[in-house]
Amino acid sequence: MAGFFDTKIEYLKGVGPQKAALLNKELNIFTCGDLIQHYPFRHEDRTKFYTISEVNEQMPFVQIKGKIFAIGWQGEGNKKRLTAAFQDDTGKLELVWFKGQQGVLRMVKPGAAYIVFGKPAKYGANHSIAHPEMELLTESTQKQAYLQPVYSTTEKLKSRFLDSRALSRVIKELLRVALPQIRETLPEYITEKYSLIEKARAIRHYHFPSSAEMFKKAKARLVFEELFYIQLRILKMKLGRLEKLKGQIFPDVSLLKIFYQDHLPFELTEAQKRVVREIHSDMKSGEQMNRLLQGDVGSGKTIVAFLSMLIAISNGAQACLMAPTEILANQHYTGLSEFADLIGVKIALLTGSIKGKKRREIFDKLESGELQILVGTHAIIEEKVVFKKMGIAVIDEQHRFGVAQRARLWEKNKSTPPHILVMTATPIPRTLAMTLYGDLEVSVIDELPKGRKPIITSHRFDSHRLNVFGFIRQQVGESRQIYIVYPLIEESEKLDLKDLMDGFESVERAFPGIPVGILHGRMRPEDKDFEMERFVRGETKIMVATTVIEVGVDVPNASVMVIENAERFGLAQLHQLRGRVGRGASQSYCVLMSSMKLSKEAKVRLQTMVRTNNGFEIAEKDLELRGPGDIQGTQQSGILDLLVADLSKDGKILQEARATAIEVLQKDPQLALPHHRGILDQIERQKKSEVNWSRVS
Ligand code: ADP
Ligand code: MG
């Protein structure tokens, strides 16, 4: 039976080898199963008839009953066209053909009644429809109200007579044979609980719905199914891992207590306290922790990471923190050293630029266990780096690291893998997090430390640059520091570097006597550090930079972030950049500079930034604007090629599907119960055909 869906489409009625080859190439459709899953992307409404007086040019498509009474040629030369008058009791409009006229002349019978379907337009005072679809009005055509599926196709396919209409005929024929073979994959107790219609029916009505309401039901069923099986697989993987991977058990929290009571530089927010508790309960549970910590920029993830490290250290284990860039590793090292020194914890920094004797010394002290915290870049995961007993690995800014790198951290401890805490400031919408990181526990810091003033964001056109410069001067006068950021897009790195250098020079010219620094990815690490440190110490007042400053850098005195060519940045990145200011007590500002010429999407992005500071709201908007495939860090995930579900819209169904998957696995982890047979079969079938699931997160 499964064999049927694997049948090559060339054996289908109305397809044949030539069309099959085209469908293979153009749409990646090889088998009957593929073709069935080539779902329409919308439907044209053929259920409603309009009268001519109701028609206006804003309507996408209309269907009208009426009579044709005058057909003839108009215009000259290449403006020559065939027209017909089309009339009902309420009025008259014109039908127009610019090509294929002979066929029309042969077919159309003046005086006869037709159903006409097409897109209305307006020329002068009259409405017209070009190249309408026409059908003789008969007893039966009059009654056949339906929703016509519209399939994606390509120019090449269209030229070989495989337009949407033709595809719909082929699929209709295929479904006739296929529907009886489509098996239900969900047990009744699930379909009943969520009022899901049968799978075969859902597929039929997703292509050829009998009504708009049936289409909704069909869609809900297929979305549920798609998301349910994704969740089931992610959760199964997680269960498998929990069984295999015992975690190190850390009951002692003595160091954490000492630090908390005597040295904590500020009161933790409620959210930070909650997350520390969640992490602590993982670390003493006996299972390996795999936790994602999401928190908006400035929400205070670092201190949470440090406290978690202290739990491991209290129990005689070591900790490491891995950051994506040297600048950031440096900064973490500086910050954490201050804390560590207070309670006599030994800490070191390991990056690519630490070499020779110093490097060997670090290696030795790690192996002996003398070093308790190692902060660094991906240099940490090199093979030569051996820990005596690594208890917890913290990864900052997850999206910069691949899954493979995370796996290599696991191997850093020989007997039992370390606990893993992944921190990201890219707020991932809940729906996406559940799909992408379904196998991680998720903690969220959803509260900023008290006393922060929300950043004031404004959008200015390039023509107002002088005003913006005036504002910068005033802020510098109040001893504040400024970032000016230029976009850097990989393909045209040279050109962008020129933009940056030009910008740097014009800034220097505009602010004589004010020290200006520069920072970009092409500089040598030691030069970058030098520039960054000068800015941190307040020696330079303005930092002209590319997005290398995007990640994590913390200069509380910086209060203005100017983003040049802001229209070229994505929302997530804009938000990250803005997060570089607003870290101190004074009021901070973000100024988005752009040209006057803005795409509709760019406008929405800038407006969104001006409207809200909430990272999650911005992430939701980003998801809506770009679709999930584009969200940072999700590209390689391979699970976002969703067929029917849309993560930006189907959040509710996703939650139901996930809850159901959890329930199923709790009752029946091996899926051995007879009424779960259908689920097991479906998983087996998907295993054969789909992506490598071990890649997921
Ligand atoms: P992020 O989550 O972006 O990594 P950080 O951990 O760098 O944020 O914290 C941002 C700033 O806020 C730091 O200067 C940090 O010391 C400070 N901070 C963190 N938590 C609190 C708190 N509960 N109260 C006051 N300041 C805090
Ligand atoms: Mg940070």
Side-chain angles (χ1 to χ4, degrees), residues 143-173:
K143 274 197 205 125
Q144 62 172 43
Y146 59 98
L147 292 160
Q148 169 72 35
V150 184
Y151 296 97
S152 63
T153 170
T154 64
E155 285 309 315
K156 198 154 190 185
L157 286 172
K158 279 187 209 162
S159 72
R160 307 288 177 84
F161 306 105
L162 278 170
D163 59 4
S164 169
R165 265 307 177 89
L167 279 175
S168 101
R169 278 192 295 273
V170 173
I171 291 171
K172 197 168 213 164
E173 176 59 25

Coordinates of all heavy atoms in Angstrom, one line a residue, residues 143-173:
K143 N -25.3 25.1 -10.9 CA -25.4 24.6 -9.6 C -24.1 24.3 -9.0 O -23.9 24.2 -7.8 CB -26.3 23.3 -9.6 CG -27.8 23.6 -9.5 CD -28.5 22.4 -9.0 CE -30.0 22.5 -9.5 NZ -30.3 21.3 -10.3
Q144 N -23.1 24.1 -9.9 CA -21.8 23.6 -9.3 C -21.0 24.7 -8.7 O -20.1 25.2 -9.2 CB -21.0 22.9 -10.4 CG -20.6 23.8 -11.5 CD -19.6 23.1 -12.4 OE1 -19.8 22.0 -12.8 NE2 -18.6 23.9 -12.9
A145 N -21.4 25.0 -7.5 CA -20.6 26.0 -6.7 C -19.4 25.3 -6.2 O -19.5 24.3 -5.6 CB -21.5 26.6 -5.6
Y146 N -18.2 25.9 -6.3 CA -17.0 25.3 -5.8 C -15.9 26.3 -5.5 O -16.0 27.4 -6.0 CB -16.5 24.2 -6.7 CG -16.2 24.6 -8.1 CD1 -14.9 24.9 -8.5 CD2 -17.2 24.8 -9.1 CE1 -14.6 25.3 -9.7 CE2 -16.9 25.3 -10.3 CZ -15.6 25.5 -10.7 OH -15.3 26.0 -11.9
L147 N -14.9 25.8 -4.8 CA -13.7 26.6 -4.6 C -12.6 26.0 -5.5 O -12.3 24.8 -5.4 CB -13.3 26.5 -3.2 CG -14.2 27.2 -2.2 CD1 -14.0 26.7 -0.8 CD2 -14.0 28.7 -2.3
Q148 N -12.1 26.7 -6.4 CA -11.2 26.2 -7.4 C -9.8 26.4 -6.8 O -9.3 27.5 -6.5 CB -11.3 27.1 -8.7 CG -10.2 26.9 -9.7 CD -10.3 25.5 -10.4 OE1 -11.4 25.0 -10.6 NE2 -9.2 24.9 -10.7
P149 N -9.0 25.2 -6.7 CA -7.7 25.3 -6.1 C -6.7 26.0 -7.1 O -6.9 25.9 -8.3 CB -7.3 23.9 -6.0 CG -8.1 23.1 -6.9 CD -9.4 23.8 -7.0
V150 N -5.8 26.8 -6.6 CA -4.8 27.4 -7.4 C -3.4 26.8 -6.9 O -3.1 26.9 -5.8 CB -4.8 28.9 -7.2 CG1 -3.8 29.6 -8.1 CG2 -6.2 29.5 -7.5
Y151 N -2.7 26.2 -7.9 CA -1.5 25.6 -7.6 C -0.3 26.4 -8.0 O -0.4 27.0 -9.1 CB -1.4 24.2 -8.2 CG -2.5 23.2 -7.7 CD1 -3.7 23.0 -8.4 CD2 -2.3 22.6 -6.5 CE1 -4.6 22.2 -7.9 CE2 -3.2 21.7 -6.0 CZ -4.4 21.5 -6.7 OH -5.4 20.7 -6.2
S152 N 0.8 26.3 -7.3 CA 2.0 27.0 -7.8 C 2.5 26.2 -9.0 O 2.4 25.0 -9.0 CB 3.0 27.1 -6.7 OG 3.4 25.8 -6.3
T153 N 3.0 26.9 -10.0 CA 3.5 26.2 -11.2 C 4.6 27.2 -11.7 O 4.9 28.2 -11.1 CB 2.4 26.0 -12.2 OG1 2.9 25.5 -13.4 CG2 1.5 27.2 -12.5
T154 N 5.2 26.8 -12.8 CA 6.3 27.7 -13.3 C 6.0 28.1 -14.8 O 5.1 27.5 -15.4 CB 7.6 27.0 -13.3 OG1 7.6 25.9 -14.2 CG2 7.9 26.5 -11.9
E155 N 6.7 29.1 -15.3 CA 6.4 29.5 -16.7 C 6.7 28.4 -17.6 O 5.9 28.2 -18.6 CB 7.4 30.7 -17.0 CG 7.0 32.0 -16.4 CD 5.6 32.4 -16.6 OE1 5.1 32.3 -17.8 OE2 4.9 32.8 -15.7
K156 N 7.7 27.6 -17.4 CA 8.0 26.5 -18.2 C 6.9 25.5 -18.3 O 6.5 25.0 -19.3 CB 9.3 25.8 -17.8 CG 9.9 25.0 -18.8 CD 11.4 24.9 -18.5 CE 12.2 24.3 -19.6 NZ 13.6 24.2 -19.1
L157 N 6.3 25.2 -17.1 CA 5.2 24.2 -17.0 C 4.0 24.8 -17.7 O 3.3 24.1 -18.5 CB 4.9 23.9 -15.6 CG 5.9 23.0 -14.8 CD1 5.5 22.9 -13.3 CD2 5.9 21.6 -15.4
K158 N 3.8 26.1 -17.5 CA 2.6 26.7 -18.2 C 2.7 26.5 -19.7 O 1.8 26.3 -20.4 CB 2.5 28.1 -17.8 CG 1.8 28.4 -16.5 CD 1.6 29.9 -16.2 CE 1.7 30.2 -14.8 NZ 1.9 31.6 -14.5
S159 N 4.0 26.8 -20.2 CA 4.1 26.7 -21.7 C 3.9 25.3 -22.2 O 3.7 25.1 -23.4 CB 5.5 27.2 -22.0 OG 6.5 26.3 -21.7
R160 N 4.0 24.3 -21.3 CA 3.8 22.9 -21.7 C 2.4 22.5 -21.3 O 2.2 21.3 -21.0 CB 4.8 22.0 -21.2 CG 6.2 22.3 -21.5 CD 6.6 22.1 -23.0 NE 7.9 22.6 -23.2 CZ 9.0 21.8 -23.0 NH1 8.9 20.6 -22.6 NH2 10.2 22.3 -23.3
F161 N 1.5 23.4 -21.1 CA 0.1 23.1 -20.7 C 0.0 22.5 -19.4 O -0.9 21.7 -19.1 CB -0.5 22.2 -21.8 CG -0.4 22.8 -23.2 CD1 0.5 22.3 -24.1 CD2 -1.2 23.9 -23.5 CE1 0.7 22.8 -25.3 CE2 -1.0 24.5 -24.8 CZ -0.1 24.0 -25.7
L162 N 0.9 22.8 -18.5 CA 0.7 22.4 -17.1 C 0.5 23.6 -16.2 O 1.2 23.9 -15.3 CB 1.9 21.6 -16.6 CG 1.8 20.1 -17.0 CD1 3.2 19.4 -16.7 CD2 0.7 19.3 -16.4
D163 N -0.6 24.3 -16.5 CA -0.9 25.5 -15.7 C -1.7 24.9 -14.5 O -1.9 23.7 -14.3 CB -1.7 26.5 -16.4 CG -3.0 26.0 -17.0 OD1 -3.3 24.8 -16.7 OD2 -3.7 26.7 -17.7
S164 N -2.1 25.9 -13.6 CA -2.8 25.5 -12.4 C -4.0 24.6 -12.7 O -4.3 23.6 -12.0 CB -3.2 26.7 -11.6 OG -4.1 26.4 -10.6
R165 N -4.8 25.0 -13.7 CA -6.0 24.3 -14.1 C -5.7 22.8 -14.4 O -6.3 21.9 -14.0 CB -6.7 25.0 -15.3 CG -7.8 25.9 -14.9 CD -8.7 25.2 -14.0 NE -9.8 26.1 -13.5 CZ -11.0 26.2 -14.2 NH1 -11.2 25.7 -15.3 NH2 -11.9 27.0 -13.6
A166 N -4.6 22.7 -15.2 CA -4.2 21.3 -15.7 C -3.8 20.5 -14.5 O -4.1 19.3 -14.4 CB -3.1 21.4 -16.7
L167 N -3.0 21.1 -13.6 CA -2.6 20.4 -12.4 C -3.7 19.9 -11.6 O -3.8 18.8 -11.1 CB -1.6 21.3 -11.6 CG -0.2 21.4 -12.0 CD1 0.6 22.4 -11.1 CD2 0.5 20.0 -11.9
S168 N -4.7 20.8 -11.5 CA -5.9 20.5 -10.7 C -6.6 19.3 -11.3 O -7.1 18.4 -10.6 CB -6.8 21.7 -10.5 OG -7.9 21.7 -11.3
R169 N -6.7 19.2 -12.6 CA -7.3 18.0 -13.2 C -6.5 16.8 -12.9 O -7.1 15.7 -12.6 CB -7.4 18.2 -14.8 CG -8.6 19.1 -15.2 CD -8.9 19.0 -16.7 NE -7.8 19.6 -17.4 CZ -7.7 20.9 -17.7 NH1 -8.7 21.7 -17.3 NH2 -6.7 21.4 -18.4
V170 N -5.2 16.8 -13.1 CA -4.4 15.6 -12.8 C -4.5 15.2 -11.3 O -4.7 14.0 -11.0 CB -2.9 16.0 -13.1 CG1 -2.0 14.8 -12.6 CG2 -2.7 16.2 -14.5
I171 N -4.5 16.2 -10.4 CA -4.6 15.9 -9.0 C -6.0 15.3 -8.7 O -6.1 14.3 -7.9 CB -4.3 17.1 -8.1 CG1 -2.8 17.4 -8.3 CG2 -4.6 16.9 -6.7 CD1 -2.4 18.7 -7.6
K172 N -7.0 15.8 -9.3 CA -8.4 15.3 -9.1 C -8.5 13.8 -9.5 O -9.0 13.0 -8.7 CB -9.4 16.1 -9.9 CG -10.8 16.0 -9.4 CD -11.7 17.0 -10.1 CE -12.8 17.4 -9.1 NZ -13.5 18.7 -9.5
E173 N -7.9 13.5 -10.6 CA -7.9 12.2 -11.1 C -7.1 11.3 -10.1 O -7.5 10.2 -9.8 CB -7.3 12.2 -12.5 CG -7.1 10.8 -13.1 CD -8.5 10.0 -13.3 OE1 -9.5 10.7 -13.3 OE2 -8.4 8.8 -13.3

